[in-house]
Amino acid sequence: YAAAAPMGGNAPNFSVLSAVVSQTMEQLFLRGTVQRWEIDQKCVDGLQSLPDALAVEAIQDFSCRDLMQIRNKSAYFMGCINKRKDNLAMGGGAAGAGGLPTLAGLTGSGEAANSPAVREKLESMFATGVLPRETLDYRAWSEFSKLKEAQAFACIDEFVASDQSRIRNKAAYFMGICKKHQQQGGFGF
């Protein structure tokens, strides 16, 4: 099944993947979702670095996207893989709640990472759907974990009060609010 890459490039070595991940990739190719030469070795290495369940999840996430408008499918696929790596680094992943990131495993200098009251307020925000838990990436969680408890509350309140329809990248917006409160030391706006 080795297909030549266009323009003389090297085809990735899919044989290094586990059987279940390899089979899932093979299904992707057979369905015509993507061609072998459109995936580079970085993606294969990324899949190989993940537990099988997360690698399969990344492949399935990639396969259910509309890829017709995507020029660099390999880079887009790498984004799906990196999302799982971030979740894994957060203590989430296959053992976490649906593979979603949590505050577990963060070692921030602030109180937010260890405050039960902050966790409760976050869970409330997640439950309302204002900010789905899976939206936050490792960087956003890391910034949040550096906050003091009062800063964390102010950050959550500001995000919830924001006009959600105007926010394209909720993780980046949330991270920006966290950084602002960190710089201000939690004293107003």
Side-chain angles (χ1 to χ4, degrees):
Y1 280 109
M7 296 182 277
N10 294 327
N13 181 11
F14 292 102
S15 67
V16 298
L17 298 174
S18 71
V20 67
V21 175
S22 183
Q23 288 171 346
T24 308
M25 283 300 297
E26 190 61 33
Q27 292 170 357
L28 192 70
F29 298 137
L30 291 173
R31 281 195 309 265
T33 305
V34 67
Q35 302 299 311
R36 288 177 191 283
W37 57 266
E38 292 178 292
I39 303 298
D40 63 23
Q41 188 62 41
K42 261 178 93 171
C43 292
V44 174
D45 295 341
L47 288 171
Q48 189 179 15
S49 72
L50 290 171
D52 285 353
L54 289 179
V56 168
E57 186 180 298
I59 296 167
Q60 289 170 342
D61 182 20
F62 177 70
S63 71
C64 69
R65 305 293 177 181
D66 178 14
L67 302 175
M68 297 303 288
Q69 302 298 318
I70 307 296
R71 283 190 223 169
N72 188 340
K73 293 178 184 172
S74 193
Y76 190 84
F77 188 27
M78 200 63 215
C80 296
I81 294 166
N82 284 336
K83 184 175 180 181
R84 273 56 186 194
K85 282 183 178 184
D86 287 348
N87 290 350
L88 189 61
M90 290 295 301
L100 304 178
T102 65
L103 285 174
L106 284 182
T107 54
S109 57
E111 302 162 355
N114 298 313
S115 168
V118 169
R119 289 175 189 265
E120 186 176 317
K121 189 158 183 114
L122 276 173
E123 290 302 329
S124 173
M125 181 175 63
F126 296 147
T128 62
V130 171
L131 180 65
R133 181 189 312 266
E134 64 271 13
T135 302
L136 295 181
D137 58 14
Y138 182 75
R139 294 170 302 178
W141 280 117
S142 294
E143 287 301 320
F144 185 77
S145 72
K146 295 174 187 174
L147 299 174
K148 295 178 181 165
E149 189 175 60
Q151 292 171 315
F153 284 129
C155 181
I156 294 168
D157 289 341
E158 183 177 342
F159 186 86
V160 170
S162 300
D163 181 1
Q164 301 296 310
S165 67
R166 299 179 58 99
I167 303 171
R168 284 187 181 197
N169 185 339
K170 290 186 177 191
Y173 188 78
F174 186 79
M175 189 168 61
I177 293 172
C178 291
K179 286 181 177 182
K180 179 179 82 173
H181 284 279
Q182 204 175 5
Q183 290 171 351
Q184 293 175 345
F187 301 110
F189 295 91

